[in-house]
């Protein structure tokens, strides 16, 4: 009660108590005579936030009951408004920790700086022929861009030669890596097929022993989903059916336009600090490829992803085995599948951790209370979530590492978001080389080839740096 309570002598009390006033108030405020309880008064949030003017003048008539401070030692901080307090509480869990993502991740996925590079070489689209070929690995495509050639089976060689017609007809070839769920680029056929006998003798009847020349015009990483939306009649090659699939001119033209509207990417990134990256305006004239003795850490054929955390949320990420993103990055993470390679970037310490592997596809609010201070939350501050497990435990990479900066140069200042397959493999190889995992893998593969009994490399190595020899 906000009123003063005074204990009176019994002689001063009335002989009969009068409750009529209280009864009339209850009947007026309550339904069917039921009383409505008055809510308890809220605490005075402005209690003692300023000095008492009476106390400053010498004496306060309210004494200890005064709501103003009697001296600076009683002063309290001015209360924040409810909205300001909530905003301040959530500040460390806001999208600010993902600075730069609006201009790097989302735009990149939706097309980014699409266009550029070499123009479409097809002069008469309705008169050209179009094929899509299945590559076994990303490395095969990388070598093709440098050597300007491709190998195919005998039955598909005759099909391509017939379409090429001695160079009288333009033949556009699209490439997709097995299991990647992406189209990696397009090249123009520049010569008829040539039979390589020693490859036929070594590989037998179904050997890829027919070689033909190609000139690459576009290297990208366009999701199959977008390709099918652009060209609904598109049929994809598979290892169980055929490695080369033809298409109608209308389908080929639609796919070609969609591919040229996707951003340019490099199909190879050097992680050993022995090659300078190509300039942005020379991606299709300065192709790079790994040396014959370079060993890379194996990753799934598709793109990878860098998730973010702060020092406050990192333990929760690792403890739950759950990484999260802001809601606006839902589209960027939609391609993640079980097996996708994932890294974790600590925005506080500016360190990149890995290597992780997705266990589930990206989904909304797998754990609604994750990364929230409210145990009853129905939606996480970072609702785009994916469960992960450790693929290889490695020492982290510093954000200022010059090789890492070169690999992620297309991301600008942002670090969090989608990675191309080339970037994913390069970063994974950098991390694996720090703890000696690549040496383990090389020794293991060599031992298997030579028939020597070897000990399989461990699944996870201790996170320590291996000193270079």
């Amino acid at each position: 009660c906000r009123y003063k309570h005074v204990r009176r002598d019994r002689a001063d009390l009335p002989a009969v108590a009068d409750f009529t006033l209280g009864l009339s108030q209850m009947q007026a405020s309550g339904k069917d005579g039921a009383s409505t309880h008055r809510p308890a008064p809220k605490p005075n949030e402005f209690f003692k936030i300023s000095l008492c003017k009476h106390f400053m003048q010498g004496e306060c008539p309210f004494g200890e009951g005064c709501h103003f401070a009697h001296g600076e030692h009683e002063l309290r901080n001015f209360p924040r408004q409810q909205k300001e307090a909530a905003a301040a509480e959530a500040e460390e869990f806001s999208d600010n920790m993902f600075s730069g993502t609006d201009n790097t991740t989302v735009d990149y996925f939706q097309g980014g700086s699409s266009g550029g590079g070499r123009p479409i070489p097809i002069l008469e689209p309705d008169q050209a022929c179009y094929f899509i070929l299945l590559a076994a690995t990303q490395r095969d495509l990388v070598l093709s861009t440098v050597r300007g050639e491709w190998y195919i089976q005998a039955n598909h060689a005759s099909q391509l030669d017939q379409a090429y017609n001695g160079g009288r007809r333009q033949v556009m070839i699209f490439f997709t890596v097995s299991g990647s769920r992406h189209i990696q680029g397009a090249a123009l056929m520049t010569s008829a097929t040539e039979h390589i006998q020693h490859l036929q003798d070594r590989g037998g009847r179904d050997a890829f022993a027919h070689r033909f020349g190609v000139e690459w015009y576009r290297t990208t990483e366009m999701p199959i989903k977008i390709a099918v939306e652009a060209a609904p009649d598109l049929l994809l090659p598979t290892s169980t059916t055929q490695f080369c699939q033809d298409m109608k001119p209308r389908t080929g033209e639609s796919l070609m336009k969609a591919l040229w509207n996707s951003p340019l990417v490099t199909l190879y990134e050097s992680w050993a600090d022995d090659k300078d990256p190509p300039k942005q305006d020379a991606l299709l004239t300065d192709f790079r490829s790994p040396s014959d003795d370079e060993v890379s850490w194996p990753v799934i054929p598709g793109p990878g992803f860098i998730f973010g955390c702060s020092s406050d949320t990192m333990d929760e990420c690792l403890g739950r085995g759950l990484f999260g993103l802001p809601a606006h990055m839902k589209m960027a993470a939609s391609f993640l599948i079980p097996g996708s390679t994932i890294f974790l970037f600590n925005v506080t310490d500016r360190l990149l951790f890995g290597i992780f592997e997705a266990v589930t596809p990206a989904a909304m609010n797998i754990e609604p209370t994750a990364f929230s201070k409210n145990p009853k939350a129905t939606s996480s501050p970072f609702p785009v979530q994916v469960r992960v497990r450790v693929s290889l435990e490695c020492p982290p990479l510093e954000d200022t590492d010059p090789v890492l900066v070169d690999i992620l140069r297309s991301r600008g200042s942002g670090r969090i978001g989608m990675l191309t397959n080339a970037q994913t493999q390069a970063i994974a190889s950098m991390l694996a080389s720090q703890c000696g995992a690549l040496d383990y893998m090389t020794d293991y593969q060599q031992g298997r080839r030579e028939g020597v009994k070897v000990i399989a490399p461990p699944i996870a190595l201790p996170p320590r740096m291996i000193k270079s020899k």
Side-chain angles (χ1 to χ4, degrees):
C1 182
R2 298 186 179 183
Y3 295 94
K4 186 176 181 180
H5 293 183
V6 179
R7 184 176 295 277
R8 300 172 62 181
D9 294 336
R10 183 173 295 274
D12 297 332
L13 294 176
V16 179
D18 184 5
F19 296 103
T20 56
L21 179 59
L23 181 60
S24 63
Q25 289 178 339
M26 288 190 294
Q27 290 176 342
S29 60
K31 185 177 180 181
D32 299 330
S35 62
T36 302
H37 294 284
R38 179 181 179 182
K42 296 181 179 180
N44 185 0
E45 58 183 5
F46 299 101
F47 183 73
K48 294 188 182 297
I49 63 170
S50 61
L51 292 172
C52 176
K53 62 180 181 180
H54 300 290
F55 179 81
M56 297 294 291
Q57 294 174 357
E59 183 178 1
C60 176
F62 301 100
E64 295 181 357
C66 182
H67 287 192
F68 295 90
H70 291 180
E72 294 186 359
H73 64 283
E74 291 187 0
L75 280 175
R76 298 170 64 247
N77 293 328
F78 192 86
R80 294 177 291 180
Q81 296 294 329
Q82 186 175 1
K83 292 183 179 180
E84 294 178 358
E89 181 179 348
E91 184 176 359
E92 59 183 356
F93 298 104
S94 68
D95 291 1
N96 293 335
M97 63 181 283
F98 297 89
S99 59
T101 54
D102 285 338
N103 297 326
T104 54
T105 302
V106 178
D107 288 347
Y108 173 82
F109 184 84
Q110 295 178 344
S113 55
S114 57
R118 305 178 67 178
I120 294 177
I122 301 299
L123 303 178
E124 299 180 359
D126 56 334
Q127 300 298 321
C129 292
Y130 304 88
F131 296 85
I132 182 167
L133 303 184
L134 183 68
T137 66
Q138 182 96 358
R139 188 186 181 101
D140 294 336
L141 293 185
V142 171
L143 295 175
S144 175
T145 61
V146 176
R147 298 173 181 175
E149 60 184 18
W150 192 255
Y151 292 80
I152 203 168
Q153 295 171 310
N155 57 331
H156 300 311
S158 59
Q159 187 180 13
L160 286 176
D161 283 339
Q162 183 178 359
Y164 188 62
N165 193 19
R168 297 181 183 90
R169 185 183 295 137
Q170 288 185 304
V171 178
M172 172 65 72
I173 298 176
F174 306 101
F175 293 89
T176 178
V177 176
S178 178
S180 68
R181 302 189 305 143
H182 286 71
I183 294 179
Q184 278 74 22
L188 201 63
M189 187 174 180
T190 58
S191 72
T193 62
E194 175 189 2
H195 182 233
I196 311 298
Q197 187 60 47
H198 71 89
L199 294 178
Q200 188 77 57
D201 297 338
R202 191 192 329 174
R205 177 182 176 183
D206 297 329
F208 291 80
H210 290 75
R211 178 179 61 195
F212 63 94
V214 294
E215 183 179 1
W216 281 78
Y217 275 81
R218 194 79 181 173
T219 54
T220 183
E221 217 161 49
M222 184 176 72
I224 293 294
K225 179 181 178 182
I226 295 178
V228 173
E229 290 177 357
D233 296 334
L234 176 65
L235 296 178
L236 298 172
T238 65
S239 57
T240 57
T241 56
Q242 54 185 2
F243 291 92
C244 176
Q245 180 67 54
D246 61 343
M247 63 186 74
K248 297 178 181 179
R250 182 177 179 181
T251 302
E253 183 181 3
S254 299
L255 181 60
M256 182 171 59
K257 290 179 179 179
L259 200 69
W260 255 260
N261 198 40
S262 298
L264 282 169
V265 304
T266 56
L267 298 183
Y268 169 75
E269 293 285 354
S270 175
W271 56 270
D273 198 21
D274 57 350
K275 296 180 181 179
D276 294 329
K279 303 298 182 182
Q280 187 64 28
D281 58 351
L283 292 184
L284 295 177
T285 58
D286 187 16
F287 290 115
R288 306 296 175 92
S289 68
S291 58
D292 294 336
D293 59 347
E294 180 178 304
V295 178
S296 300
W297 188 256
V299 297
I300 196 171
F305 209 95
I306 296 180
F307 280 74
C309 71
S310 65
S311 294
D312 294 330
T313 61
M314 184 169 181
D315 288 343
E316 184 176 2
C317 288
L318 300 179
R320 290 179 182 264
L322 186 79
F323 295 170
L325 295 167
H328 74 266
M329 298 183 72
K330 180 180 179 180
M331 180 181 292
S334 61
F335 73 91
L336 289 175
I337 61 173
S340 294
T341 303
I342 289 177
F343 308 98
L344 183 65
F345 183 66
N346 188 317
V347 299
T348 306
D349 300 330
R350 310 299 295 180
L351 294 174
L352 184 66
F353 293 84
I355 306 168
F356 302 94
E357 178 183 343
V359 179
T360 65
M364 296 296 289
N365 287 308
I366 295 177
E367 292 192 21
T369 59
F371 318 117
S372 174
K373 293 183 177 181
N374 181 7
K376 298 181 180 180
T378 58
S379 179
S380 170
F382 303 117
V384 183
Q385 299 171 354
V386 60
R387 290 201 180 277
V388 301
R389 63 185 175 190
V390 176
S391 175
L392 185 71
E393 189 175 358
C394 309
L397 291 172
E398 294 185 3
D399 185 44
T400 55
D401 188 298
V403 180
L404 180 64
V405 172
D406 282 342
I407 294 172
L408 298 178
R409 62 190 179 279
S410 62
R411 300 209 51 76
S413 60
R415 287 290 179 260
I416 298 164
M418 186 175 72
L419 299 171
T420 67
N421 179 261
Q423 291 172 327
T424 303
Q425 190 171 63
I427 295 175
S429 299
M430 284 185 67
L431 287 165
S433 65
Q434 290 197 133
C435 58
L438 284 180
D439 294 336
Y440 274 100
M441 186 177 67
T442 303
D443 295 342
Y444 178 72
Q445 292 176 343
Q446 183 177 356
R448 288 293 299 270
R449 286 194 299 267
E450 298 174 354
V452 180
K453 185 178 180 180
V454 293
I455 300 176
I459 296 176
L461 296 171
R464 60 187 179 88
M465 295 286 290
I466 302 297
K467 294 182 180 180
S468 57
K469 298 179 181 179

